[in-house]
Amino acid sequence: MGSAAARWSELQSGRGIPPEILARAPVSPWGHDPADFTPPDEPADTPSRAAALSLLAPAGTVLDVGCGGGDAAFALVGPLTEAIGVDVAQDMLDVFEAAADVRGVPARTVLGPWPDVAADAGPADVVVSHHVLHNVVDLGPFVDALTAAAGRGVVVEMLAEHPMAWLDPLWERFHGLHRPPSATVDDAVAVLRERGVAPEVTLWDRELRLPHSPEWITRRLCLPPERAPEVAAAVAEIPPRTRTAATLVWRP
Ligand SMILES: C[S@@+](CC[C@H](N)C(=O)[O-])C[C@H]1O[C@@H](n2cnc3c(N)ncnc32)[C@H](O)[C@@H]1O
């Protein structure tokens, strides 16, 4: 493993929840509602969408890795001839399939972790992977497989820092847990360069979509629901979560 990949892996590993805190959590902090990942009827006009549309024109197939409900793939309806969704969560793939049906787009899904299931997914003209890199520890093989699967190009979208990094002061406050800094876009780009890829990078401000109510944050912090008012007061004192996103584009 190169030094950039080792740094990425170390920073990502430091973001886990220690087992003694997890053991005291009244409910799982990881729960999510797949409906929150339903793609909008009108796709957001973002640098990621623009980059993918220009790679895809006039028509072609799209592989969406860590697809969730298919926000990235279904923003490309028009030139999109087939959408292939890969995700570790079947409930996300169900949302992806429903979104394809509604739009009349031919679609296929593959359940399992990327890159392990890359052969089942097969190649596509354009590979997109939005908001997944901050979930990955071993980034080198993950991005290698994105490159290998792409006929024309890869579009990755990620937040400037880990999406939960803004809660780090609250882990310190409620659990005395000091977290290492988050991995950043620069760290991801360093790993790509180590793999022989020089992506074009565009930074921009993203609309916040997923709900982060005090109840949601309280659960995420492994605290009981009755502490939600205390958590809400604490949230008001910390910097807001980042809206800075990055679009990384490269050709195979
Ligand atoms: C934050 S969601 C983003 C979903 C979607 N791409 C979007 O932008 O709305 C991350 C998704 O990646 C999936 N995921 C995380 N690691 C994965 C991996 N190694 N292989 C496949 N899916 C993964 C999760 O199950 C989840 O659906």
Side-chain angles (χ1 to χ4, degrees):
M1 187 184 283
S3 61
R7 174 180 162 78
W8 180 275
S9 169
E10 193 186 323
L11 292 174
Q12 289 293 89
S13 301
R15 305 213 65 81
I17 300 177
E20 63 279 11
I21 295 179
L22 201 52
R24 291 197 303 269
V27 287
S28 164
W30 310 119
H32 63 266
D33 183 353
D36 289 338
F37 289 86
T38 302
D41 294 339
E42 274 301 313
D45 186 16
T46 66
S48 307
R49 178 168 181 256
L53 283 173
S54 97
L55 287 166
L56 200 58
T61 58
V62 171
L63 170 61
D64 189 344
V65 175
C67 59
D71 200 49
F74 298 119
L76 308 175
V77 168
L80 175 64
T81 56
E82 186 192 11
I84 304 125
V86 174
D87 206 288
V88 288
Q90 182 59 51
D91 52 11
M92 291 292 195
L93 294 179
D94 294 343
V95 178
F96 184 94
E97 281 165 13
D101 280 352
V102 165
R103 291 164 176 78
V105 173
R108 193 159 58 79
T109 56
V110 179
L111 176 65
W114 188 267
D116 301 6
V117 297
D120 297 332
D125 293 314
V126 175
V127 175
V128 293
S129 187
H130 289 193
H131 304 286
V132 188
L133 262 52
H134 283 299
N135 293 337
V136 177
V137 174
D138 194 4
L139 194 55
F142 189 97
V143 296
D144 283 353
L146 296 180
T147 308
R152 300 183 202 158
V154 181
V155 180
V156 160
E157 185 177 301
M158 65 188 295
L159 288 177
E161 60 177 18
H162 191 282
M164 294 300 136
W166 70 293
L167 295 178
D168 287 359
L170 301 190
W171 285 100
E172 182 100 49
R173 175 167 176 164
F174 289 104
H175 295 288
L177 176 68
H178 179 70
R179 285 191 182 280
S182 166
T184 64
V185 173
D186 287 347
D187 292 316
V189 169
V191 176
L192 280 164
R193 287 185 184 281
E194 229 167 51
R195 315 303 283 201
V197 168
E200 288 163 32
V201 180
T202 307
L203 296 178
W204 49 284
D205 274 344
R206 181 175 187 252
E207 286 299 313
L208 293 176
R209 269 186 46 212
L210 294 180
H212 280 5
S213 65
E215 292 72 24
W216 187 95
I217 296 167
T218 303
R219 182 159 52 91
R220 182 78 199 191
L221 291 170
C222 299
L223 295 171
E226 59 271 21
R227 297 193 71 181
E230 203 186 329
V231 169
V235 166
E237 290 173 17
I238 61 172
R241 57 183 170 137
T242 186
R243 292 181 50 206
T244 307
T247 299
L248 279 50
V249 183
W250 69 95
R251 291 171 187 273

